[in-house]
C-alpha cells in the first residue's frame, strides 16, 4: 500500500514543470525583422495564426494567415519582450525560418544584433539571414504571396529552391555568418531580397486575389560585408561568379554564343571548385579550379550537334565564358569592394599555415594586388532528348 | 560497510565506459577548441593517451594493494592517522565532484530547456535517483548501466550517422597548426575530466570478481569511451568549426541541433540529450558512491547505507552553492581544477604506489616478516 502511494507520488513531477507551455500559449514566430531607427532597434515579428494556416475545406482565405507585431527598444531582447503588451501569446522563436535585416541597419553593422540570436536558448541555427534590399525589414515581411501561405515560409522556401537551381543565389545561416566574421581570411556575405512594386499594398490578402499579385518578393543579389557592415551589392553576374568560386553551384543555366551567331543555353548538371593560394616572391598567388559538367539545354542557332568537333568547340566557348564570369567576380572583389569574401585567405591558411601568420593582419590589402589563376574545365556530355534542333531542316 | 554484491568484469567495463564519457562529452569539446582551435581532436587523442598512462598507474596501484578501497590503501601506506586524513580529503573531493556534476545537470537544463524552473527542482529529481542507486548497492548500479548501455550505443550510432552528411572537411585544416603545447594542455584537461576522477573506481574495484582479469578490460573500455569523446569533438570541429565550438556552453548539444536529414529527420536534440543523461548519471553515482563508501570506512560504520540519504541532502544543498555563477564555473574548471585533479589523481596515487612497492620489496626479505605484520596491522 505504501509502495503504491509512493509510486503515485512519483507521477507528480511528470505532470510538467515551471516551463510548460501549451500549444495555445505559444505565438510561433516564423519571421523576424530587425531595423534601426535613431538609437533604437525596431523589431518586427511575424506570428502564424494556426487556424488560418491549417488546410481547411472551403476556406476563403479572407483573413491574413499571419499577424505581425512591431515594437521598439534599446536592445532587441527588450523589444521582443515588449511585444507581450500587444500580443496575447509570448513569442516562441524555435521555429524561426528567416531573419531579415533592413539595408540601413546592415550598413551600420549587424554584429551586435546577432548576439541575442546565438545566445538565446530557444533559437536554433537553421534559419536563413537575409537583407531587405533598399527597404526596411518590416516592409519586406509585409508582403503576402501565393503558394506559401506565410511570407517567412515563402522566403525560406524560395531561397532554398533557388540556391539549388540558379547559380547567383546563396543561403547563409547564422553559423556561416558568425564563422565568416571571426575568420580573418573571409568576409561575410548575405543574400538580398527585393520588393517588387514596393509602392503598392502587399500586406492584405487582396494582394493574392489577382493572378499576378502586384507586390512580390524576389531574391536579388548578394550583399558584401566588411566585418559586419554592408558595403555593397554584387551584380547578378558577380554573384554567379562568387558561387562558382565558393563551390556553391548545384545546378543552373547559362548561355554561350554559337560560332555562327545566335545563342545556346547550357544546363549545369554538376559543378565543383577548389580554391587555393600561396606566396610567390612576396605576392599572393591565388588559384581557382572549376570543373563543370553540362548538357545542352536550348539551341537557338544553326549548329550541327552530331559532330564531335562541335561539342569540343562548345566546351571551349563555355570555358571561356565561365572564366570571364569568374575573373569578373574576382575583379569586383579586388577592385570594387576591396574585400576577400571568397575565402582565399582561409584557403592559404589551410594550405600554408606558417605563411598565413604573416599575411593575416593586412590580408584585405594584400588580396587587392593578388594574382589569380583561373582554370575552368567543362565537359558537355548530353544534348537532351534530341540531337539537332528541328530548325536545322529549314536551311 | 557491508556490500554483499559482487560485479563481474564485464559490468565493470560498462561502468568504466560510461564513466569515461560522463560529463566529458558535453562540456570538454569547448575547452579543447578554445585551447587547440581546429586541432581540438588531436588534443582529445592526446588526452586519451595521457589517460591510458593514468589508468596504468591505477592498475599498478591495484596490483600493489589488491582488494583494498582507496581509504584502506591510504591507511595501509601511511598508517592509521595520516592515511585517514588523506582519506578524508578524497572523500571531500568525491562529494564536491558529485555536487559539481549535479550542478552541471541542473545548469544544462536551465540553460537549454527550462529556464524558469528552479535549479533545486531539477537537481533534486536527479539526486533522488543517484541516492537510490547508491542505496540499492553496486549490483543494482551495475545492472542498471548494463541496461542503459544499448540505449546509449543506439543514440550514439544515430548521432554519428546523422552528422556525417553535414561534416565539412575543410574545417580541420590546417592540421597541427597550434603545435605541441596547446595540444598537450588540451589533452591534460581532457584526461583531468575523463580519466583522473577514475581514482574513485577504487571504491568499486574490491567488489569485482577476479579483479586481475579485468585490467585489460579497464584499458579497453576507457579507450572506447575516449574514442567516443574524440569522435564527438571531431564532429564539433567538422560541423560547427573551432570558433563556434570554443564559444559554446554545450558544444555537443549545439552540434546535435544541426542534424537534418532531408528536412525530415531534424530537431531531435532533445532525444539525443538522453545520451548525456545516461553517462552523467553513471558519473554522478560514482562520485557519490565513492563519497559515502569512504565516509563509512573512515567512520568505521557497519552499514554504509545509513549515510546515503543524509549525504544526498548535503550534496543537493552543496550543489546549489558550489558554483556561484557560470563564469566562476568556467574559471574553476579551467584554472583551478587541472592542478587540483593532477595532485589528487596522479601525484598522490603515484606516491602511494611507490610506498607500496617499497613495502613489497622489504616484505620479500624474510628477516623483516614481523615488521610486515606490524605494517599490516596498522
Amino acid at each position: 500500500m505504501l509502495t503504491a502511494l509512493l509510486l503515485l507520488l512519483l507521477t507528480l513531477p511528470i505532470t510538467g514543470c515551471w516551463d510548460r507551455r501549451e500549444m495555445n500559449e505559444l505565438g510561433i514566430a516564423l519571421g523576424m525583422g530587425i531595423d534601426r531607427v535613431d538609437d533604437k532597434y525596431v523589431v518586427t515579428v511575424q506570428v502564424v495564426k494556426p487556424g488560418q494556416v491549417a488546410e481547411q475545406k472551403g476556406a476563403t482565405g479572407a483573413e491574413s494567415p499571419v499577424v505581425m507585431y512591431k515594437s521598439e527598444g534599446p536592445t532587441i531582447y527588450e523589444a521582443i519582450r515588449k511585444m507581450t503588451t500587444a500580443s496575447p501569446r509570448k513569442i516562441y522563436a524555435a521555429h524561426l525560418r528567416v531573419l531579415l535585416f533592413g539595408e540601413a541597419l546592415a550598413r551600420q553593422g549587424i554584429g551586435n544584433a546577432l548576439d541575442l540570436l546565438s545566445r538565446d536558448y530557444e533559437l536554433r541555427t537553421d534559419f536563413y539571414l537575409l537583407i531587405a534590399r533598399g527597404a526596411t525589414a518590416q516592409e519586406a515581411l509585409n508582403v503576402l504571396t501565393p503558394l506559401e501561405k506565410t511570407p517567412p515560409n515563402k522566403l525560406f522556401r524560395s531561397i532554398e529552391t533557388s540556391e539549388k537551381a540558379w547559380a547567383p543565389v546563396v543561403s547563409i545561416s547564422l553559423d556561416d555568418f558568425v564563422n565568416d566574421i571571426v575568420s580573418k581570411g573571409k568576409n561575410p556575405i548575405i543574400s538580398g531580397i527585393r520588393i517588387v512594386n514596393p509602392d503598392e499594398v502587399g500586406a492584405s490578402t487582396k494582394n493574392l486575389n489577382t493572378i499576378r499579385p502586384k507586390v512580390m518578393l524576389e531574391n536579388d543579389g548578394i550583399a558584401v560585408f566588411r566585418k559586419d557592415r554592408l558595403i555593397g551589392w554584387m551584380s547578378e553576374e558577380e554573384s554567379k561568379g562568387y558561387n562558382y568560386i565558393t563551390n556553391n553551384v548545384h545546378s543552373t543555366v547559362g548561355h554561350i554564343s554559337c560560332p555562327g551567331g545566335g545563342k545556346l543555353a547550357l544546363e549545369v548538371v554538376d559543378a565543383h571548385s577548389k580554391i587555393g593560394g600561396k606566396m610567390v616572391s612576396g605576392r599572393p598567388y591565388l588559384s581557382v579550379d572549376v570543373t563543370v559538367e553540362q548538357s545542352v539545354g536550348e539551341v537557338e542557332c544553326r549548329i550541327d550537334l552530331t559532330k564531335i568537333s562541335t561539342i569540343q568547340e562548345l566546351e571551349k566557348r563555355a570555358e571561356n565564358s565561365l572564366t570571364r564570369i569568374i575573373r569578373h567576380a574576382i575583379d569586383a572583389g579586388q577592385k570594387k569592394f576591396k574585400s576577400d569574401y571568397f575565402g582565399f585567405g582561409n584557403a592559404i591558411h589551410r594550405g600554408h599555415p606558417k605563411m598565413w601568420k604573416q599575411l593575416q593582419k593586412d590580408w584585405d590589402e594584400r588580396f587587392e594586388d593578388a594574382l589569380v589563376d583561373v582554370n575552368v574545365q567543362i565537359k558537355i556530355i548530353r544534348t537532351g532528348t534530341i540531337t539537332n534542333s528541328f530548325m536545322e531542316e529549314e536551311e | 560497510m557491508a556490500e554483499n554484491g559482487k560485479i563481474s568484469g564485464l559490468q565493470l567495463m560498462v561502468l568504466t565506459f560510461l564513466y569515461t564519457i560522463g560529463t566529458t562529452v558535453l562540456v570538454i569539446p569547448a575547452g579543447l577548441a578554445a585551447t587547440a582551435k581546429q586541432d581540438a581532436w588531436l588534443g582529445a587523442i592526446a588526452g586519451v593517451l595521457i589517460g591510458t598512462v593514468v589508468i596504468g598507474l591505477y592498475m599498478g596501484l591495484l596490483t600493489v594493494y589488491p582488494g583494498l578501497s582507496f581509504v584502506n590503501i591510504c591507511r595501509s601506506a601511511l598508517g592509521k592517522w595520516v592515511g585517514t586524513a588523506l582519506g578524508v580529503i578524497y572523500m571531500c573531493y568525491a562529494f564536491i565532484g558529485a555536487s559539481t556534476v549535479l550542478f552541471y545537470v541542473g545548469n544544462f537544463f536551465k540553460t537549454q530547456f527550462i529556464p524558469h524552473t528552479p535549479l533545486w527542482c531539477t537537481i533534486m529529481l536527479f539526486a533522488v535517483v543517484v541516492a537510490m542507486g547508491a542505496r540499492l548497492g553496486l549490483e543494482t548500479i551495475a545492472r542498471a548501466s548494463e541496461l542503459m548501455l544499448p540505449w546509449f550505443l543506439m543514440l550514439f550510432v544515430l548521432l554519428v550517422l546523422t552528422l556525417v552528411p553535414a561534416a565539412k572537411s575543410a574545417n580541420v585544416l590546417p592540421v597541427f597548426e597550434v603545435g605541441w603545447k596547446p595540444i598537450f594542455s588540451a589533452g591534460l584537461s581532457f584526461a583531468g575530466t575523463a580519466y583522473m576522477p577514475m581514482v574513485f573506481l577504487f571504491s568499486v574495484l574490491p567488489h569485482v570478481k577476479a579483479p586481475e582479469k579485468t585490467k585489460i578490460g579497464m584499458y579497453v573500455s576507457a579507450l572506447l569511451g575516449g574514442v567516443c569523446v574524440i569522435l564527438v569533438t571531431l564532429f564539433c570541429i567538422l560541423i560547427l568549426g573551432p570558433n563556434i565550438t570554443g564559444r559554446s556552453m554545450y558544444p555537443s548539444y549545439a552540434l546535435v541541433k544541426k542534424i537534418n536529414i532531408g528536412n525530415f529527420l531534424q530537431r531531435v536534440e532533445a532525444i539525443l540529450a538522453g545520451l548525456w543523461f545516461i553517462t552523467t548519471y553513471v558519473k554522478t553515482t560514482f562520485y557519490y558512491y565513492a563519497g559515502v563508501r569512504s565516509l563509512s570506512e573512515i567512520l568505521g560504520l557497519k552499514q554504509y547505507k545509513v549515510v546515503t540519504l543524509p549525504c544526498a541532502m548535503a550534496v543537493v544543498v552543496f550543489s546549489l552553492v558550489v558554483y556561484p555563477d557560470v563564469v566562476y564555473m568556467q574559471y574553476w574548471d579551467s584554472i583551478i581544477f587541472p592542478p587540483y585533479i593532477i595532485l589528487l589523481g596522479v601525484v598522490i596515487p603515484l606516491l602511494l604506489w611507490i610506498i607500496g612497492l617499497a613495502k613489497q620489496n622489504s616484505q620479500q626479505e624474510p628477516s623483516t616478516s614481523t615488521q610486515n605484520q606490524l605494517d599490516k596491522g596498522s
Side-chain angles (χ1 to χ4, degrees), chain B residues 74-91:
Chain B
C74 296
R75 280 175 173 163
S76 110
L78 301 168
K80 192 172 180 191
W81 293 106
V82 183
T84 308
L86 192 61
V88 169
I89 293 177
Y90 270 86
M91 179 200 76

Side-chain angles (χ1 to χ4, degrees), chain B residues 272-339:
Chain B
L272 285 165
L275 273 179
W276 345 127
F277 301 150
I278 293 172
T279 58
T280 325
Y281 173 72
V282 173
K283 184 141 181 168
T284 324
T285 306
F286 265 98
Y287 272 128
Y288 186 68
Y289 183 77
V292 290
R293 293 289 305 195
S294 306
L295 181 65
S296 70
E297 278 166 20
I298 288 163
L299 298 178
L301 301 178
K302 288 202 181 71
Q303 277 281 342
Y304 82 95
K305 284 174 189 171
V306 293
V307 290
T308 45
L309 276 183
C311 285
M313 292 178 197
V315 166
V316 166
V317 173
F318 190 44
S319 71
L320 296 173
V321 293
V322 64
Y323 297 123
D325 49 60
V326 287
V327 180
Y328 182 89
M329 175 185 94
Q330 284 177 330
Y331 173 75
W332 202 86
D333 286 355
S334 57
I335 308 291
I336 301 171
F337 183 72

Side-chain angles (χ1 to χ4, degrees), chain A residues 135-191:
Chain A
T136 64
Q138 184 197 343
E139 288 161 350
L141 277 177
N142 220 355
V143 179
L144 279 178
T145 52
L147 294 182
E148 289 291 341
K149 286 199 169 165
T150 64
N153 254 347
K154 183 273 169 220
L155 291 169
F156 182 85
R157 301 279 308 160
S158 82
I159 194 130
E160 261 197 345
T161 317
S162 183
E163 183 185 33
K164 285 188 187 120
W166 187 234
V169 179
V170 58
S171 69
I172 294 291
S173 73
L174 181 63
D175 282 1
D176 298 331
F177 190 81
V178 170
N179 273 333
D180 286 355
I181 277 200
V182 175
S183 84
K184 294 190 173 74
K186 184 180 191 308
N187 273 316
I189 51 119
I190 296 182
S191 261

Side-chain angles (χ1 to χ4, degrees), chain A residues 270-333:
Chain A
D270 197 21
H272 290 285
S273 78
K274 221 182 142 187
I275 58 174
K278 57 184 179 200
M279 291 295 280
V280 176
S281 56
R283 207 170 165 196
Y285 188 82
L286 312 172
S287 64
V288 184
D289 293 287
V290 186
T291 45
V292 183
E293 190 186 317
Q294 293 184 319
S295 55
V296 176
E298 181 179 346
V299 179
E300 294 196 354
C301 57
R302 310 289 161 262
I303 191 167
D304 187 4
L305 284 175
T306 53
K307 278 196 200 143
I308 293 171
S309 62
T310 322
I311 297 296
Q312 284 170 343
E313 170 68 22
L314 288 179
E315 280 173 355
K316 226 174 86 191
R317 278 168 179 265
E319 276 167 13
N320 288 338
S321 148
L322 186 54
T323 309
R324 212 190 57 247
I325 290 172
I326 288 174
R327 283 221 173 272
H328 181 70
I330 294 173
D331 268 0

Side-chain angles (χ1 to χ4, degrees), chain A residues 127-278:
Chain A
F127 55 88
Y128 292 139
L129 304 186
L130 290 169
I131 306 284
R133 189 167 186 174
T136 64
Q138 184 197 343
E139 288 161 350
L141 277 177
N142 220 355
V143 179
L144 279 178
T145 52
L147 294 182
E148 289 291 341
K149 286 199 169 165
T150 64
N153 254 347
K154 183 273 169 220
L155 291 169
F156 182 85
R157 301 279 308 160
S158 82
I159 194 130
E160 261 197 345
T161 317
S162 183
E163 183 185 33
K164 285 188 187 120
W166 187 234
V169 179
V170 58
S171 69
I172 294 291
S173 73
L174 181 63
D175 282 1
D176 298 331
F177 190 81
V178 170
N179 273 333
D180 286 355
I181 277 200
V182 175
S183 84
K184 294 190 173 74
K186 184 180 191 308
N187 273 316
I189 51 119
I190 296 182
S191 261
I193 50 156
R194 196 170 60 88
I195 309 170
V196 183
N197 255 336
D199 300 329
E200 299 280 340
V201 179
S204 150
T205 43
K206 277 183 194 142
N207 192 41
L208 304 177
N209 287 346
T210 46
I211 290 179
R212 171 132 181 57
K214 285 207 178 75
V215 192
M216 295 225 259
L217 293 169
E218 257 180 16
N219 297 324
D220 185 22
I222 299 176
V224 178
F225 284 75
R226 191 176 292 134
K227 285 293 150 197
D228 68 332
R229 283 161 203 269
L230 191 153
I231 53 171
W233 293 90
M234 283 184 231
S235 68
E236 189 174 49
E237 196 176 76
E238 285 157 9
S239 308
K240 197 172 184 174
Y242 169 84
N243 278 326
Y244 269 112
I245 295 167
T246 52
N247 195 16
N248 196 37
V249 174
H250 306 279
S251 167
T252 189
V253 177
H255 74 266
I256 52 173
S257 49
C258 295
K263 285 190 168 61
L264 185 142
L266 292 166
E267 184 191 5
V268 173
V269 184
D270 197 21
H272 290 285
S273 78
K274 221 182 142 187
I275 58 174
K278 57 184 179 200

Side-chain angles (χ1 to χ4, degrees), chain A residues 383-395:
Chain A
T383 59
T385 53
I386 53 172
T387 52
N388 275 334
S389 171
F390 52 83
M391 294 293 282
E392 192 80 4
E393 297 302 310
E394 290 197 356
E395 306 283 298

